[in-house]
Amino acid sequence: MRRVYLDNNATTPVLPEVLEAMQSYFGEHFGNASSIHHHGQETRAAVERARESVAALVGCRASEIVFTSGGTEGDNLAIFGLLNSLSNKAGHHVITSTIEHHAVLNSCKHLEAAGGEVTYVPVDGRGQVDPDDVRRALRPNTRLITIMMANNETGVLQPVEAIGKVAAAADLYFHTDAVQAAGKVALDVKRIGCDLLSISGHKMHAPQGVGALYVRKGTILRPMLLGGSHERSRRAGTENVPGIVALGKAAELAQQAFARGDLERMSAQRDRLEQTILGEVEATGLNGKGAPRVPNTASICFDYIEGEALVIALDLKGLAVSTGAACSSGAIEPSHVLTAMGLSPERARGSLRFSLGKQNAAEDVDFALELVPQTVARLRELSPIFHRAAVNS
Ligand code: PLP
């Protein structure tokens, strides 16, 4: 049976070049990067080469990159590492948005439970934060702004440069979760004006379980993991050398893909996918319409459809998509991102996320376009609400 995977915001397949680059670090080059003998020196050199590549991807110095186990750890380290390093620990105020990933949202909830204050800035109907709302949320005890660069459900890009200016004017720290932006849009920490930026390997064709946090020179972080002095004492633990090598290779490939114009081609395929669905299937809408988005993501709401039912029906025919964040699947609550944008719970539940990856070809979009309209029509045939609406219209 033919299977097409259009759920690359959940995770991406490891590219063959990335797998090849990392493979020898499971066997031939197995040393502990902290060992001073030949084996250690070999892996240390590989880790430092990867650090250069990741630094080049985000536009910083190699010494400003801390390798982590992924996006969740990067977000947690940015938030808690920073706040725990400040004197006068209680009563800090943090500004975030209502559409963050749970790695940030639940960290903020934890801060509140521990006595801190958090403002959750809203988004407009297109899914964007207004930097003026961030400015208006500033308080004398605000220490950190943490707002994502690209949303995982809608792909909507946030005005991070303008938010960076708000942070700089108020002399505050700014963290951005760039997990869904890395490899899809150019990253430049200086232009963004952030002090901390997290990325994750498995969203950019490196394996699961590796990531990186940019920490601007001079930013003090209290490590969350205590142990050896790895990663300049910012993250203890023997390095995941194969994963780090893979992340470095994926960063290089991402840069090459930008230079070749691959992302423009990807966005053309994404546009074809969404325009055809919106044109062919009645009672549909594009979530995040009119906002700048990463080139691979389309979030579409299908009225009178239960998103989970559509995901299952499409999966049975070989197409993998999702209703939203992979870590929220099975959740009864409608997406917090879509409801924050003003969608009704029904519309949020009837939304599907299509996300392309580097491995997808135009034929994969053709396959989705063949299946989606007929599957939606079949499910609506079975839906009494759809029939009632059709009679009333
Ligand atoms: N932040 C965003 C925006 C994400 O989409 C994800 C993963 O879905 C994460 C953070 C967490 O990253 P990881 O899965 O590497 O822990």
Side-chain angles (χ1 to χ4, degrees), residues 213-363:
L213 179 66
Y214 155 73
V215 183
R216 189 160 72 92
K217 187 168 184 260
T219 309
I220 312 283
L221 285 191
R222 167 85 61 89
M224 293 177 61
L225 299 179
L226 304 177
S229 54
H230 309 86
E231 299 295 299
R232 295 171 175 241
S233 297
R234 293 169 295 191
R235 200 270 187 185
T238 301
E239 292 88 343
N240 165 10
V241 177
I244 289 170
V245 168
L247 182 58
K249 185 68 187 179
E252 285 167 24
L253 293 175
Q255 297 273 74
Q256 292 162 13
F258 289 137
R260 275 197 308 265
D262 289 2
L263 283 301
E264 282 82 3
R265 279 187 285 279
M266 182 184 275
S267 113
Q269 288 304 329
R270 186 274 312 270
D271 292 349
R272 181 166 76 88
L273 174 72
E274 68 188 25
Q275 288 316 317
T276 310
I277 292 176
L278 294 168
E280 282 187 11
V281 186
E282 61 177 313
T284 47
L286 180 64
N287 300 322
K289 188 174 171 196
R293 284 179 293 149
V294 287
N296 79 319
T297 311
S299 170
I300 297 177
C301 68
F302 297 85
D303 286 345
Y304 320 114
I305 287 279
E306 193 61 53
E308 297 256 311
L310 184 53
V311 167
I312 293 164
L314 291 171
D315 189 44
L316 288 172
K317 293 182 177 170
L319 178 65
V321 293
S322 73
T323 48
C327 33
S328 307
S329 45
I332 296 165
E333 291 298 304
S335 147
H336 70 283
V337 174
L338 300 179
T339 49
M341 290 164 65
L343 265 75
S344 65
E346 292 73 32
R347 282 213 146 159
R349 282 204 192 88
S351 290
L352 239 58
R353 177 184 71 186
F354 301 83
S355 50
L356 278 66
K358 288 194 164 83
Q359 79 285 7
N360 289 126
E363 294 73 48

Side-chain angles (χ1 to χ4, degrees), residues 9-10 69-73 75 101 103 148 150-152 177 179-180 199-203 209-210 326-327:
N9 285 10
S69 65
T72 301
E73 185 188 331
D75 289 346
H101 187 271
M148 69 195 335
N151 183 266
N152 41 307
D177 172 341
V179 165
Q180 293 289 351
I199 68 171
S200 173
H202 75 106
K203 310 291 185 175
V210 67
C327 33

Side-chain angles (χ1 to χ4, degrees), residues 18-102:
V18 172
L19 187 60
E20 196 193 324
M22 76 191 290
Q23 222 146 23
S24 70
Y25 294 90
F26 286 110
E28 192 187 341
H29 304 119
F30 63 88
N32 182 323
S34 299
S35 298
I36 55 174
H37 48 58
H38 165 79
H39 302 276
Q41 279 175 25
E42 252 179 9
T43 46
R44 168 58 51 203
V47 166
E48 296 316 316
R49 277 196 302 274
R51 204 184 301 278
E52 295 279 353
S53 302
V54 174
L57 181 73
V58 305
C60 71
R61 299 175 217 204
S63 56
E64 294 173 308
I65 292 295
V66 176
F67 287 115
T68 65
S69 65
T72 301
E73 185 188 331
D75 289 346
N76 275 257
L77 180 56
I79 295 170
F80 295 112
L82 182 83
L83 294 179
N84 290 341
S85 77
L86 301 174
S87 53
N88 174 24
K89 291 192 179 29
H92 294 322
H93 175 238
V94 172
I95 301 172
T96 188
S97 82
T98 48
I99 56 155
E100 298 298 309
H101 187 271
H102 282 107

